[in-house]
Each structure stands twice: as C-alpha cells, then as structure tokens.
Amino acid sequence: MYVNCMFCQKDLGKNQVVEHFPVGRRLVFDSARGRLWVVCQKCERWNLTPLEERWEAVEECERLFQETRIRAQTENMGLAKHPEGLVLVRVGEPYREEFAAWRYGDQFGRRRRRAIITTTGVIVVGGVLLSGAVAAGIVSGAVLGQSGNWVNIYLNGRTLTKIRAPDGDLLKMKRPDILKTRLVETADEQGWGVLVHKGKRRETYTGPEARQVAGQLLPHINAGGGRKSTVREAVARIEQAGHPEALLRELSNWKYQGFLKETTGQVGKLAAPTKLALEMALHEEEERRALEGELWMLEQRWKEAEEIAAIADGLLLTEEDEDFLKRHREAV
C-alpha cells in the first residue's frame, strides 16, 4: 500500500475510518467499475489504487457514504464529508437526500446544558451578592425577592453579536433585539431575506448577506438548545418542507397573531422545533452549497482520470482478473 502521491511524491495522509484502505483524506470511488482513487491534497491529482487493494475498500466507502448525512449530488457524482474529516466522492447514481437528528443532537444538547448552567450560575451568584447586601443593610429583603428580574437584566443587557449595517455602522445586538428578527419575502431568486431590529432602526438583508446575518443570529435565538425529542421534531419539519431552502421561503410567509397585531416571519415567535429546524436548514443549505461548488471541477477531473484508469486496467488485466472483476461487479 503506497502512502505518497505518484505525481508530486507528497504524503497522501491517513484516515481512521476505511479499515481496508487507511490512506488519504479524500477518496473517490466507483462501485460499478470497481475503481478507487486517492486525491492528493497538495497537487490535487488522482492516484489510482492497485487492484488488489480496491474491492473491500470500495464496499466500505459505499457503506460510509450511505451513513454520512450531509451530501451534495449531481447526476453523476456525490460528495460527502464524514464526521472524522474524510471526504468521500461517489461516482454513479445519487442517493436520496436525507437529514438525520444525530448530526445535531449533541450540538443542541450541549447548548441546552450550557444554557442551564449559565442561568443557574447567574441566579446563585446574584443571590449570594444580594443576600450579603441585605445582611449589611444596603438593600431590603423585598429586593432579594426580585432576584429573578436581576437574571433577566443580566441576560438581556449583554451584547451577544455585532452586525454590519449597509451604511457601515456596527449594530450591537442584544437578546431583545435578536428575538425581533424576521424572515421576509424578497423578489430575488433566493426568495427570502432577513429584517433586523435595533431600537427604532430597521435593516433588511438579502441574498448572501441574509444568509450571513441569519447564521449569526439563529444560534443566539436557539441558545437554549433542545432535547433529543425536539431535535427529531426539527428534522421532521425540514423533511416535511422537502428541502432546506423551501423551509426558509415558507417561514418568510409564516404569520403570528399577537394580542394587538399580526406579524409575519418573526423568528422568536416560532415553536421551539421550528426554530431549531430553521437553524439546521440554513446550516444544511450553506454546507451543501459549499460542497456543490466543488462538484463541477470534480466531474471534469473524474472524466480525465477515468480515461486513464480504463487504459491502465486494460493493460494490466489477465483473464483471471477479468473473471474476478466480473464477479465483484455483479455483487456490487
């Protein structure tokens, strides 16, 4: 098993997930033709692996690709990133796109535990300080009974993130400002934008800027995270919409009937699973776009590498090898 690129002689790196071929950080495999390449991270050339090392590794890559939930796909290729960091490129018919709660369960669970610890810590520290003040006669016991308000003052008074306004001003966003954030309909191809409130100021972001702003604000809106059951509901909500982008457009039309007036697209008023689904959908779509940006280059390189591989395999194959390939192709 070689570990250096055939073209630039640089180390191809290692992976911890493909037991039968722990070489490389980007693997390209074609189950139908029984081919496996390692893409060099330095020169980006495709290294065709030896025949005797391919089949078990190809089957393992196929299984890992199916288990990896975040994928981008075209008619001929699929691209997936394994949680370990290994990038898998699958040549052939794409699988159905799917979303899974396990990818976000730990993330939102940790966020929920962190929020509980933070709130509890503020209450404890505030209670100790106020108790000391009461004992010293600085404040009355009645003030101590209002300690819950002190927690809200602390949580609502912090600047959680900063957003650049179109005119260049830096908007310091606090919790009450962030909770007023709205998704709005737009006439562009994206179909949705973000309306930000900062005091009496209103700023609307569209296109890539809307994605960036939403990506900054949603983790703070969902600061409390969610239970596993809530995350499962969020995943189901995305699947119900059919596509992450469809959910974003749908929620820009969502109406909330308040006591005095109706608001459209106010994120803070959404149900907890839907707010998590919104953050997940945005993340899924951003990551998918990043992956899809690579696919057109990969398809060109695949066509070139496939021509070379067909010639190389044809020159090296014996009649026994042909029989071996035929049996494994049928099995795959």
Side-chain angles (χ1 to χ4, degrees):
M1 184 180 296
Y2 58 88
V3 294
N4 292 331
C5 176
M6 294 187 296
F7 304 95
C8 69
Q9 302 303 313
K10 299 293 184 181
D11 187 359
L12 290 170
K14 299 179 180 179
N15 69 76
Q16 304 295 322
V17 291
V18 184
E19 181 181 354
H20 292 92
F21 196 80
V23 177
R25 302 300 299 162
R26 172 171 293 208
L27 300 180
V28 183
F29 65 99
D30 183 338
S31 298
R33 294 183 176 85
R35 295 196 177 112
L36 176 67
W37 295 269
V38 183
V39 181
C40 177
Q41 292 180 292
K42 300 296 182 180
C43 68
E44 299 185 349
R45 301 291 294 275
W46 290 29
N47 295 261
L48 185 64
T49 61
L51 276 170
E52 65 272 12
E53 296 177 0
R54 287 186 204 168
W55 288 104
E56 291 83 357
V58 167
E59 291 174 359
E60 203 168 353
C61 287
E62 186 79 46
R63 177 180 59 79
L64 290 170
F65 188 90
Q66 292 184 52
E67 294 172 356
T68 302
R69 304 298 181 177
I70 299 301
R71 298 194 288 268
Q73 296 168 328
T74 65
E75 183 180 357
N76 296 317
M77 304 191 74
L79 180 65
K81 286 188 178 179
H82 190 275
E84 183 264 356
L86 175 68
V87 176
L88 293 169
V89 181
R90 181 183 185 274
V91 177
E93 291 295 323
Y95 288 112
R96 177 180 62 85
E97 293 183 0
E98 52 191 359
F99 300 94
W102 67 263
R103 185 172 189 271
Y104 296 96
D106 289 343
Q107 175 187 345
F108 289 132
R110 285 194 301 270
R111 196 183 291 179
R112 180 173 179 271
R113 291 190 292 271
R114 188 165 58 245
I116 293 172
I117 292 171
T118 299
T119 303
T120 303
V122 172
I123 293 174
V124 170
V125 171
V128 170
L129 293 176
L130 287 172
S131 297
V134 170
I138 299 173
V139 299
S140 67
V143 174
L144 181 60
Q146 300 296 319
S147 58
N149 292 334
W150 288 88
V151 174
N152 287 330
I153 291 172
Y154 170 76
L155 294 177
N156 292 336
R158 296 180 301 159
T159 296
L160 299 179
T161 188
K162 298 177 182 178
I163 294 174
R164 184 71 63 182
D167 62 3
D169 287 351
L170 204 58
L171 306 182
K172 297 180 179 180
M173 304 296 293
K174 299 180 180 181
R175 185 167 175 264
D177 304 317
I178 294 174
L179 290 177
K180 294 177 183 177
T181 301
R182 291 170 53 193
L183 293 183
V184 294
E185 276 190 291
T186 59
D188 58 10
E189 182 180 355
Q190 182 169 285
W192 63 273
V194 177
L195 176 62
V196 170
H197 293 244
K198 177 58 184 175
K200 294 182 179 180
R201 187 166 183 173
R202 305 288 186 270
E203 298 292 352
T204 301
Y205 299 84
T206 60
E209 288 184 342
R211 295 180 179 278
Q212 180 181 346
V213 170
Q216 281 184 252
L217 298 181
L218 279 167
H220 297 292
I221 292 175
N222 290 321
R227 302 174 184 271
K228 289 184 178 179
S229 57
T230 310
V231 176
R232 284 196 295 271
E233 289 182 55
V235 173
R237 184 70 181 84
I238 298 176
E239 292 178 342
Q240 180 185 0
H243 192 278
E245 197 74 1
L247 178 64
L248 291 162
R249 288 193 292 268
E250 176 188 327
L251 293 179
S252 69
N253 270 318
W254 178 78
K255 298 185 185 301
Y256 171 76
Q257 183 61 55
F259 180 68
L260 296 176
K261 64 178 181 178
E262 182 180 79
T263 58
T264 302
Q266 187 169 345
V267 179
K269 299 295 185 181
L270 292 169
T274 307
K275 285 189 286 191
L276 290 184
L278 182 58
E279 182 177 348
M280 291 162 60
L282 185 69
H283 187 243
E284 297 269 4
E285 189 60 24
E286 286 295 319
E287 193 162 320
R288 203 177 303 278
R289 283 169 177 259
L291 293 176
E292 286 172 351
E294 301 178 41
L295 283 180
W296 72 273
M297 292 186 295
L298 286 171
E299 289 208 39
Q300 298 305 313
R301 291 173 183 165
W302 161 63
K303 291 175 182 177
E304 296 173 1
E306 169 57 30
E307 291 179 6
I308 298 172
I311 296 171
D313 284 353
L315 291 173
L316 296 173
L317 291 177
T318 63
E319 290 185 5
E320 292 181 356
D321 291 331
E322 290 282 5
D323 292 337
F324 176 83
L325 281 170
K326 184 178 180 181
R327 290 196 306 272
H328 278 78
R329 280 172 181 159
E330 290 173 353
V332 171

